[in-house]
């Protein structure tokens, strides 16, 4: 079946702009996770959804970052007033239930100029 | 704060040789994952280890978990070029006995297998 998909695959924006990154999890997966991976590093946890609610957003770096999952499926990560330091690969993962193996999408490569 | 450390960070191997990657973590957990990442690609799940003494094997890779030592190993047997990739271990924080998938990753081990 289809895996986790993310759009866009690449995003180039200017400092100060607003961006939205989309994640389509595997159908039927209840848990959805966002991670950020900087070059040469392992992914870092940002936020976790169980159903529609953000169960843990402790990894969001500051209040410029926000994520939603209004119908318990697709999720959008929103970044306001982007900064150059936000440049990274943003990975989405889903699992059938929380605490089970996470399946990762291909990521969105964000470059802030 | 949970810390996960892998070593080595860089591993250059000859085909046919054996080697082990180590993953140490700092707090209680009984759920550990190994992932593979090819350049420019996303993460592929290799193993999930769920209890002390767990051992999983797939092809030339074998992973084990010692929760008392807070250590997992990924052993490579008779390496082949196709195994060249970056390998990450990831630990699921034990939130009062419940794991919900907040993974903390190691820095990754870049494995290169030479003919």
């Amino acid at each position: 079946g289809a895996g986790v998909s993310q759009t866009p695959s690449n995003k180039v924006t200017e400092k100060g702009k607003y961006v939205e990154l989309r994640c389509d999890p595997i159908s039927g997966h209840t848990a959805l996770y966002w991670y950020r991976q900087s070059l040469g590093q392992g992914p870092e946890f940002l936020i976790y959804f169980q159903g529609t609610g953000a169960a843990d957003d402790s990894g969001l770096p500051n209040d410029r970052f926000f994520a939603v999952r209004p119908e318990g499926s697709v999720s959008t990560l929103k970044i306001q007033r982007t900064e150059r330091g936000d440049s990274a690969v943003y990975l989405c993962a889903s699992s059938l239930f929380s605490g089970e193996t996470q399946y990762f999408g291909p990521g969105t490569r964000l470059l802030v100029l | 704060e949970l810390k996960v450390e892998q070593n080595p960070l860089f591993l250059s191997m000859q085909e046919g040789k054996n080697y082990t990657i180590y993953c140490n973590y700092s707090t209680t957990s009984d759920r550990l994952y190994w992932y593979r990442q090819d350049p420019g690609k996303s993460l592929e799940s290799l193993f999930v280890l769920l209890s002390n003494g767990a051992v999983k094997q797939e092809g030339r890779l074998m992973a084990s978990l010692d929760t008392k030592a807070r250590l997992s190993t990924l052993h490579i047997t008779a390496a082949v070029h196709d195994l060249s990739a970056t390998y990450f271990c990831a630990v699921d924080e034990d939130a009062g006995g419940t794991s919900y998938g907040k993974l903390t990753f190691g820095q990754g081990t870049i494995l290169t297998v030479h003919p």
Side-chain angles (χ1 to χ4, degrees):
Chain A
V4 178
S5 62
Q6 293 186 245
T7 54
S9 54
N10 294 281
K11 177 71 178 178
V12 181
T13 190
E14 293 180 345
K15 181 176 178 296
K17 299 290 189 184
Y18 168 83
V19 296
E20 288 189 352
L21 312 178
R22 176 187 168 106
C23 171
D24 281 85
I26 293 172
S27 178
H29 280 197
T30 63
L32 185 146
Y33 307 82
W34 284 98
Y35 294 84
R36 179 167 74 173
Q37 186 175 25
S38 299
L39 194 62
Q41 302 294 318
E44 294 179 312
F45 170 84
L46 295 177
I47 186 169
Y48 147 65
F49 288 89
Q50 179 58 49
T52 60
D56 185 341
D57 64 358
S58 61
L60 295 178
N62 51 59
D63 61 6
R64 294 187 297 106
F65 289 74
F66 188 72
V68 295
R69 193 186 186 201
E71 297 178 357
S73 179
V74 170
S75 176
T76 305
L77 178 65
K78 307 180 181 193
I79 310 174
Q80 298 178 320
R81 305 183 303 281
T82 52
E83 299 178 356
R84 293 194 181 89
D86 298 336
S87 297
V89 176
Y90 289 80
L91 295 167
C92 175
S94 70
S95 61
L96 185 59
F97 299 107
S98 62
E100 298 193 356
T101 298
Q102 296 176 31
Y103 297 90
F104 283 78
T108 294
R109 287 161 181 75
L110 174 66
L111 177 60
V112 181
L113 300 176
Chain B
E1 178 189 348
L2 173 58
K3 293 190 189 302
V4 181
E5 293 187 350
Q6 288 180 235
N7 72 83
L9 300 183
F10 300 93
L11 178 53
S12 180
M13 296 177 63
Q14 273 193 307
E15 281 189 330
K17 299 292 187 183
N18 304 333
Y19 210 85
T20 300
I21 299 171
Y22 297 89
C23 173
N24 291 88
Y25 54 98
S26 62
T27 64
T28 303
S29 176
D30 59 2
R31 189 178 293 249
L32 187 142
Y33 298 85
W34 284 95
Y35 284 89
R36 168 182 172 144
Q37 187 174 39
D38 290 291
K41 304 292 186 182
S42 192
L43 286 88
E44 173 191 354
S45 175
L46 294 174
F47 301 109
V48 54
L49 303 166
L50 299 177
S51 61
N52 187 41
V55 177
K56 295 275 185 75
Q57 182 163 5
E58 180 73 34
R60 301 175 188 275
L61 301 178
M62 183 173 71
S64 66
L65 178 62
D66 181 341
T67 58
K68 294 179 181 176
R70 296 178 185 169
L71 170 69
S72 179
T73 61
L74 181 66
H75 187 72
I76 303 154
T77 301
V80 293
H81 179 70
D82 285 352
L83 290 179
S84 297
T86 300
Y87 292 84
F88 292 97
C89 64
V91 178
D92 194 344
E93 278 192 42
D94 182 351
T98 301
S99 296
Y100 61 82
K102 180 180 178 180
L103 298 183
T104 300
F105 283 80
Q107 312 97 304
T109 297
I110 301 174
L111 170 65
T112 305
V113 180
H114 298 285

